[in-house]
Amino acid sequence: MAVTLQQIADAAGVSRGTVDRALNHRGRIRPDVEERIQKLAREMGYQPSRAGRALAMARRKIRIGVILQYTETPFMQQVLEGVKEGKAEVEGFGGTVEIYEIQGSMPGRVIEIMETLRKREFNGIALTPSDDEMLKATIDRFMEEYQIPVVTLNADLEDTRRLCFVGQNNYQSGRTAAGLMGEITGGKGRVAVISGQMVNPGLNSRLKGFQREIQESFPEICLADTRYSYDDEWVAGKILEELLELYPDLTGIYITGHGVSGVCRALKKAGKDREMHVVANDFLKENKKWLEEGTLNFLIGQESRVQGHAPVMILFRKLFDNEDPKEEFQYTEILIKTKYNI
Amino acid sequence: MAVTLQQIADAAGVSRGTVDRALNHRGRIRPDVEERIQKLAREMGYQPSRAGRALAMARRKIRIGVILQYTETPFMQQVLEGVKEGKAEVEGFGGTVEIYEIQGSMPGRVIEIMETLRKREFNGIALTPSDDEMLKATIDRFMEEYQIPVVTLNADLEDTRRLCFVGQNNYQSGRTAAGLMGEITGGKGRVAVISGQMVNPGLNSRLKGFQREIQESFPEICLADTRYSYDDEWVAGKILEELLELYPDLTGIYITGHGVSGVCRALKKAGKDREMHVVANDFLKENKKWLEEGTLNFLIGQESRVQGHAPVMILFRKLFDNEDPKEEFQYTEILIKTKYNI
DNA sequence: CTGAAAGCGCTTACAG
DNA sequence: CTGAAAGCGCTTACAG
């Protein structure tokens, strides 16, 4: 039978309210009484009931806002699912979660929504950031001036005071890809990288991690120059054709982001889809298909649902239990999939 | 603002109790009223508050028992951590979770504990089973006669009426290992398998999956005969020495279960730890060390914590929300780790 | 078949 | 600094 506040109150010879003040550091209590009650609670193994607390706090509501950019992409749709799971969980405790979806990238719109949420007395915000000075300043203002915690998800803004970040360690993801490429090529041959936009910091980190690890651990692998598909499937395919012509001895390809289908189709057309070693990113339907067909050897994933779910729950624990996240960088797992464990 | 029972009651012109009866199919209500209220609740977007329900149900307590065998192994210790997470969660809702640890395998003891739990009015049990006729009969009796749901974890007993199973698909795990082995050996050479006990059904499934997939997808790989270490590190090392002598051309080793350290040490001693391709199972400290050193190429894991956490939460949802698990087979992810994504 | 009331474990104004 | 009381959203005997 779990210990309740009332039982501690009885044992201490005080009222429930006093025990509450002692255990939750609310002040307005004599220090020696506070200490005595805390000790007693510890001895009795008191664990507060989340249900009781949730119900009592239903008046002063917990309101969490989630702002997602690039929601037109399948990847963000997966993140969105995770957010919705968190929403259901929080609302079961009497809180509110509102979700804002932005197509493409619009940092100005993110700021607007943040201000609206503040006026509506929301008390926590999770968002996918952009590398924008105004947005950075706004995040800092929310954290410091308004005491509204902000969690970044999927991408980070390290130079802000955001509560924490939930997402992948892209550099490490790139290194993982290099390790896989080294294994399947036997550490030999020529390997090319196809990336997305040149300005995408996430993809650049993967690229850097990949290059660095290939150079250090597989010195016999010759890296061809990196090409950019600008997130266009057709361009990606075109790049592949050029690479095949330029380097008839090409043995491996690493795709940091978009363009997987373009590359795979072109490989198939050239009759090289079996022999070429290909490592790509993200568990999208299309990509899984290429993995099952055997065109891709490995697919690296990043727990998209967790990236939506965890930020909501971190904010909830902060607001409900006043519990800070243990880590500033909440890196999601780097998942490796073959056609067998998809 | 979330809709409450009271609001529905007001809108329907009935009492809270009546709405409760309608929404939770408790009977003792006129069918037309029940239907009208259900419709109304749907229209108003009613979502029951878990906090409210939890508090109200605190009287008729939810009691869940967890019985783990082989708790002396590091793997089961990880499962145990997951169980404890579930315990904390359930107890925050006013329930109770009791954990019973058994060293080694003692199906008789499992049955004893089950009976005790029944007498103490527990209403859900999760356990690691053994392939034992008495235990199977007991599980069926609990499910049918006493209406106490039982969830099997880590290993399954398919021919019982257990509510569901949480654990790895071992056959698929073996196939995954075969896929990895094929990739890193280039689909050529001679590969040996070292397993644990001949009577371990889990390891046998992995073995079968591995053999089948190698034969089908990598016909040029020659499978040496399977050896059994009887879960002994020293024996495992001895086996490796023999294999190296017998097959100087050995290129790959798949270890289905225990014995990883024995094999790796012997490989290192023979100076073959770099060139040999080794795929092993389970994220144990020792194994991770061999992965980081580069002796192991891949480690396959099975979400040990989830195997502890999920069964507790499945029982909780069954007892608290009367919600059955969606799948009879709750397979945990087959995780692939290299030294880069550990 | 339906309603009124008590109570689950907590928090929060309000008195004192 | 401390206590008594109301109330959060539900479930559950108990009356009728």
Side-chain angles (χ1 to χ4, degrees), chain B residues 5 16 20 46 49 52-53 56 60:
Chain B
L5 268 196
R16 279 212 315 280
D20 178 59
Y46 174 67
S49 154
R53 166 175 289 184
R60 183 171 57 73

Side-chain angles (χ1 to χ4, degrees), chain A residues 287-300:
Chain A
N287 297 1
K288 286 182 181 174
K289 202 198 75 193
W290 291 112
L291 189 63
E292 270 158 10
E293 271 199 18
T295 310
L296 296 180
N297 298 66
F298 286 104
L299 204 48
I300 298 178

Side-chain angles (χ1 to χ4, degrees), chain A residues 3-15:
Chain A
V3 183
T4 68
L5 267 195
Q6 184 64 66
Q7 291 172 25
I8 298 175
D10 292 346
V14 298
S15 76

Side-chain angles (χ1 to χ4, degrees), chain A residues 4-262:
Chain A
T4 68
L5 267 195
Q6 184 64 66
Q7 291 172 25
I8 298 175
D10 292 346
V14 298
S15 76
R16 277 209 319 277
T18 303
V19 177
D20 178 58
R21 282 188 281 270
L23 263 34
N24 295 296
H25 319 286
R26 297 194 205 285
R28 299 183 306 138
I29 183 170
R30 248 179 35 225
D32 60 313
V33 176
E34 170 157 355
E35 209 165 311
R36 185 164 63 88
I37 294 177
Q38 285 176 350
K39 181 155 169 280
L40 197 58
R42 230 176 299 125
E43 284 168 7
M44 296 174 70
Y46 174 66
Q47 286 292 116
S49 155
R50 297 177 71 73
R53 166 174 290 183
L55 220 42
M57 284 175 64
R59 288 183 262 188
R60 183 170 59 72
K61 259 199 137 172
I62 287 177
R63 283 177 248 264
I64 295 173
V66 181
I67 311 172
L68 301 178
Q69 302 192 76
Y70 293 108
T71 53
E72 75 281 7
T73 64
F75 179 83
M76 269 304 155
Q77 286 298 316
Q78 295 178 354
V79 174
L80 183 59
E81 277 180 53
V83 172
K84 285 181 182 162
E85 281 171 28
K87 177 179 158 85
E89 218 162 319
V90 167
E91 296 190 336
F93 273 105
T96 311
V97 177
E98 273 186 24
I99 307 171
Y100 295 84
E101 304 183 31
I102 298 173
Q103 316 258 319
S105 172
M106 297 173 59
R109 183 89 190 87
V110 175
I111 296 172
E112 263 174 52
I113 296 170
M114 287 174 76
E115 292 295 351
T116 313
L117 291 174
R118 174 173 68 81
K119 281 178 202 126
R120 292 178 52 213
E121 299 194 298
F122 272 60
N123 28 37
I125 296 177
L127 53 81
T128 54
S130 310
D131 194 355
D132 177 277
E133 291 310 318
M134 276 284 281
L135 180 54
K136 286 184 196 173
T138 308
I139 291 175
D140 285 344
R141 188 152 40 82
F142 270 61
M143 287 296 296
E144 290 182 359
E145 198 169 321
Y146 312 137
Q147 315 277 4
I148 299 176
V150 177
V151 174
T152 53
L153 67 99
N154 186 248
D156 196 14
L157 291 176
E158 285 195 38
D159 50 350
T160 66
R161 301 194 194 280
R162 85 278 179 278
L163 183 64
C164 69
F165 160 68
V166 179
Q168 194 179 45
N169 181 336
N170 283 301
Y171 185 79
Q172 198 60 23
S173 168
R175 291 185 67 203
T176 303
L180 293 172
M181 188 63 83
E183 289 284 359
I184 57 184
T185 57
K188 293 187 191 57
R190 188 186 297 275
V191 172
V193 182
I194 299 178
S195 198
Q197 309 269 5
M198 287 183 89
V199 296
N200 185 322
L203 300 191
N204 285 340
S205 295
R206 287 182 189 166
L207 175 59
K208 223 156 58 178
F210 183 82
Q211 291 173 326
R212 170 72 62 93
E213 195 57 33
I214 288 283
Q215 282 161 8
E216 284 187 3
S217 296
F218 307 99
E220 289 179 52
I221 287 183
C222 171
L223 273 176
D225 49 332
T226 301
R227 301 298 192 89
Y228 294 88
S229 71
Y230 301 96
D231 294 344
D232 186 291
E233 300 292 343
W234 185 84
V235 175
K238 215 62 196 155
I239 288 175
L240 185 91
E241 289 174 16
E242 284 176 27
L243 285 172
L244 286 181
E245 193 155 334
L246 212 58
Y247 307 110
D249 60 339
L250 197 68
T251 48
I253 297 164
Y254 171 48
I255 307 169
T256 64
H258 297 110
V260 174
S261 284

Side-chain angles (χ1 to χ4, degrees), chain B residues 109-332:
Chain B
R109 183 90 189 88
V110 175
I111 296 173
E112 263 174 52
I113 297 171
M114 287 175 76
E115 292 294 351
T116 313
L117 290 175
R118 175 173 67 82
K119 281 179 201 125
R120 292 178 51 215
E121 300 195 299
F122 272 59
N123 28 36
I125 296 177
L127 53 83
T128 54
S130 309
D131 193 356
D132 177 275
E133 291 309 319
M134 276 285 279
L135 180 54
K136 285 184 197 174
T138 308
I139 291 174
D140 285 343
R141 188 153 40 83
F142 271 60
M143 288 295 298
E144 290 183 358
E145 197 168 324
Y146 312 137
Q147 316 277 3
I148 299 176
V150 176
V151 174
T152 53
L153 66 99
N154 186 248
D156 195 14
L157 292 176
E158 286 195 38
D159 50 349
T160 66
R161 302 193 193 279
R162 85 278 179 279
L163 184 65
C164 69
F165 160 67
V166 179
Q168 194 177 45
N169 181 336
N170 283 300
Y171 186 79
Q172 198 61 22
S173 167
R175 291 186 67 203
T176 304
L180 293 172
M181 188 63 81
E183 288 284 359
I184 57 183
T185 57
K188 293 186 190 59
R190 187 185 297 276
V191 172
V193 183
I194 299 177
S195 197
Q197 309 268 6
M198 286 183 88
V199 294
N200 185 321
L203 300 191
N204 285 339
S205 295
R206 286 183 189 166
L207 175 59
K208 223 158 54 179
F210 184 81
Q211 291 173 328
R212 170 72 61 93
E213 195 58 33
I214 289 284
Q215 282 161 8
E216 283 187 4
S217 296
F218 307 99
E220 290 179 50
I221 288 183
C222 170
L223 273 176
D225 50 331
T226 301
R227 301 299 193 88
Y228 294 88
S229 71
Y230 301 96
D231 294 344
D232 187 292
E233 299 293 342
W234 184 84
V235 175
K238 215 61 196 158
I239 288 173
L240 185 91
E241 288 174 18
E242 284 176 27
L243 285 172
L244 286 180
E245 194 155 335
L246 212 57
Y247 308 109
D249 60 340
L250 197 69
T251 48
I253 298 164
Y254 170 49
I255 307 169
T256 64
H258 297 109
V260 174
S261 284
V263 170
C264 288
R265 266 194 296 269
L267 270 175
K268 208 168 170 181
K269 202 171 137 203
K272 296 252 190 183
D273 53 322
R274 314 306 298 186
E275 57 186 276
M276 187 66 73
H277 301 296
V278 191
V279 179
N281 279 281
D282 292 334
F283 296 166
L284 309 178
K285 234 193 196 145
E286 280 278 295
N287 297 1
K288 286 182 182 175
K289 204 197 76 194
W290 291 111
L291 189 64
E292 270 158 11
E293 272 199 20
T295 309
L296 296 180
N297 298 66
F298 287 103
L299 204 48
I300 298 178
Q302 54 171 319
E303 295 198 304
S304 41
R305 299 171 78 96
V306 173
Q307 292 188 16
H309 185 257
V312 175
M313 298 318 292
I314 285 169
L315 286 168
F316 181 69
R317 277 193 293 277
K318 170 78 177 165
L319 299 167
F320 187 77
D321 302 302
N322 196 23
E323 189 183 308
D324 282 302
K326 278 150 293 295
E327 305 282 344
E328 180 187 346
F329 296 96
Q330 306 252 346
Y331 288 129
T332 50

